[in-house]
Amino acid sequence: MRKTAIIAEYNPFHNGHLHQAERARIETGADAVIAVMSAQFTQRGEPAAFDKWSRAKAAVQTGAIDLVVELPTRYGVQRADRFASAAVAIAERMQCQTLSFGSESGDITAVKRAAAANIEATPAYQTALKEALDQGRSSAKASSEAFGALYPDFDLTLPNNILAYHYAKAATTIELHTIRRLGAGYHDPSVSDVMSATGVRGHYLETGMVRAVPDATRALFADVSMAHWSLYWPVLQYKLRTTPKDVLDQLVGIDSSLSPRLIQAGLEPTFEQALARLLTRRYTRTAIQRALVSVLVHWRRDELPERFDEVPYVRPLAFNAIGRIVLKGIKKDVPLMSKYHPDLAFEARVTEAYRLPLGNRSLVEHVQTPQFIDSK
């Protein structure tokens, strides 16, 4: 069986995702398309619009995806290189022959050349990176500027190109395939038949209307409360106002400079006001949101994985008949996590924090099992 992996967040699954998955199946000759999907919080530190089981179910219901497996939170709410290393490791462990991803360039040769150049290993890059950091740039901004100065042939400031680059750096046994991103860019809020996930969510919050998504995703908006940071602000206010600074300093993504700023931001009445107070050249929205995830779930640095290119298990969330065949084919070689296990204790903690303001009693890690979807 030929298997193609897609690394995704489906926040939510929209028409662009549908196009990508359908083209990936055709262009890679895949018998099965497998999504490695972020859990309750995204790579950039936002609460996913809908819980991981609902998003996985909707993706399989479209017929474009045969199996969705989880990218655990400890690996998924990370900077791009760590996120990519973990997700690619899962795809390779599942014996996928191809990894397909969207990119702004749409040129797989350009992606491979950029990764093979190994710019980060050069003394010139380290010098340029230090200079950018000394000027107060965030680590992500400093990295992209240093890379661009030495390798102008590949734009590492574009979100999908960044992930494509790190997928190529992480890949060892898997063949790479890319599709040029269709329609709106990652942060583009414009309204059309192909919108970004940001645009889909923003349009819904502004108008109450859902556009540019398959029917399976449309049903989520009708049936499930959409999560966003403002819903979590009362809980975060409490935690920021009552957690000692030395305890905050031990959490992932928080240092002794950020912790007092977080404590002061906890006095603001709304999430957006707090965010505006926290934003600086050094502390980007993404960095702050990841820090707030750490506060919400009390994620200590000693709970970080020792390695990001090794994920100890594969956890299916939803699958159809083809996905079932995939799981049967790998179960002897891959540690599948289909029932609750003590190794999922951290993930259970994340889900409890995620579901708290949503009032959804069914979101309990201990009772959830993979969902079979008849997508015929």
Side-chain angles (χ1 to χ4, degrees), residues 175-252:
E175 180 184 342
L176 302 176
H177 170 264
T178 192
I179 297 170
R180 188 179 184 89
R181 185 182 174 96
L182 182 68
Y186 179 83
H187 293 293
D188 191 339
S190 61
V191 177
S192 67
D193 289 336
V194 180
M195 297 166 63
S196 69
T198 302
V200 171
R201 298 192 307 271
H203 184 66
Y204 175 75
L205 288 173
E206 182 178 345
T207 68
M209 310 223 9
V210 184
R211 289 198 56 168
V213 300
D215 289 342
T217 300
R218 189 178 300 277
L220 286 183
F221 283 91
D223 298 339
V224 183
S225 296
M226 192 181 93
H228 50 86
W229 265 127
S230 294
L231 297 177
Y232 295 83
W233 186 237
V235 178
L236 282 169
Q237 276 184 309
Y238 169 76
K239 300 201 79 169
L240 291 173
R241 293 180 185 188
T242 59
T243 305
K245 179 184 180 302
D246 62 331
V247 176
L248 286 176
D249 289 344
Q250 303 305 311
L251 302 184
V252 172

Side-chain angles (χ1 to χ4, degrees), residues 90 93-95 313-314 330-337:
I90 292 173
R93 191 166 199 176
M94 295 183 69
Q95 303 155 25
Y313 58 83
V314 171
I330 65 173
K331 67 180 182 181
K332 292 182 180 179
D333 304 313
V334 177
L336 292 177
M337 191 80 72

Side-chain angles (χ1 to χ4, degrees), residues 73-136:
T73 301
R74 294 192 303 155
Y75 302 85
V77 185
Q78 293 288 348
R79 66 190 193 220
D81 59 332
R82 290 176 170 182
F83 175 93
S85 290
V88 170
I90 292 173
E92 291 189 336
R93 191 166 199 176
M94 295 183 69
Q95 303 155 25
C96 294
Q97 289 87 354
T98 309
L99 173 65
S100 182
F101 47 84
S103 63
E104 283 87 359
S105 73
D107 182 351
I108 195 61
T109 301
V111 175
K112 289 180 177 179
R113 284 177 178 167
N118 204 22
I119 294 297
E120 292 95 338
T122 64
Y125 172 85
Q126 296 301 324
T127 299
L129 178 65
K130 184 178 184 304
E131 289 176 355
L133 289 171
D134 289 344
Q135 292 170 9

Side-chain angles (χ1 to χ4, degrees), residues 145-196:
E145 285 186 3
F147 183 91
L150 298 170
Y151 195 93
D153 295 337
F154 190 77
D155 190 349
L156 211 57
T157 66
L158 300 174
N160 287 277
N161 274 2
I162 293 170
L163 286 172
Y165 171 80
H166 287 294
Y167 295 153
K169 294 277 286 185
T172 57
T173 63
I174 201 165
E175 180 184 342
L176 302 176
H177 170 264
T178 192
I179 297 170
R180 188 179 184 89
R181 185 182 174 96
L182 182 68
Y186 179 83
H187 293 293
D188 191 339
S190 61
V191 177
S192 67
D193 289 336
V194 180
M195 297 166 63
S196 69

Side-chain angles (χ1 to χ4, degrees), residues 213-375:
V213 300
D215 289 342
T217 300
R218 189 178 300 277
L220 286 183
F221 283 91
D223 298 339
V224 183
S225 296
M226 192 181 93
H228 50 86
W229 265 127
S230 294
L231 297 177
Y232 295 83
W233 186 237
V235 178
L236 282 169
Q237 276 184 309
Y238 169 76
K239 300 201 79 169
L240 291 173
R241 293 180 185 188
T242 59
T243 305
K245 179 184 180 302
D246 62 331
V247 176
L248 286 176
D249 289 344
Q250 303 305 311
L251 302 184
V252 172
I254 301 176
D255 56 25
S256 58
S257 297
L258 181 56
S259 55
R261 297 177 62 87
L262 287 168
I263 291 169
Q264 287 300 311
L267 301 175
E268 296 293 338
T270 69
F271 170 76
E272 289 300 331
Q273 287 172 295
L275 185 66
R277 182 167 184 163
L278 287 164
L279 287 172
T280 66
R281 286 199 300 173
R282 178 181 177 186
Y283 297 119
T284 63
R285 183 177 184 121
T286 293
I288 291 165
Q289 288 180 160
R290 288 185 190 139
L292 291 176
V293 172
S294 293
V295 173
L296 191 66
V297 305
H298 201 80
W299 183 6
R300 304 185 311 275
R301 277 196 290 276
D302 62 10
E303 294 177 302
L304 279 169
E306 293 183 7
R307 298 182 58 140
F308 289 90
D309 59 349
E310 293 181 359
V311 181
Y313 58 83
V314 171
R315 188 185 188 191
L317 298 175
F319 56 91
N320 61 16
I322 296 173
R324 176 179 281 163
I325 294 172
V326 171
L327 294 172
K328 286 183 178 179
I330 65 173
K331 67 180 182 181
K332 292 182 180 179
D333 304 313
V334 177
L336 292 177
M337 191 80 72
S338 296
K339 296 181 180 180
Y340 187 78
H341 185 278
D343 286 353
L344 297 177
F346 183 84
E347 212 60 54
R349 200 164 92 210
V350 172
T351 291
E352 286 303 300
Y354 175 84
R355 78 185 184 106
L356 185 61
L358 302 178
N360 191 332
R361 296 183 179 181
S362 66
L363 293 184
V364 181
E365 204 84 25
H366 300 75
V367 301
Q368 295 289 341
T369 55
Q371 308 163 94
F372 172 73
I373 311 297
D374 187 354
S375 58

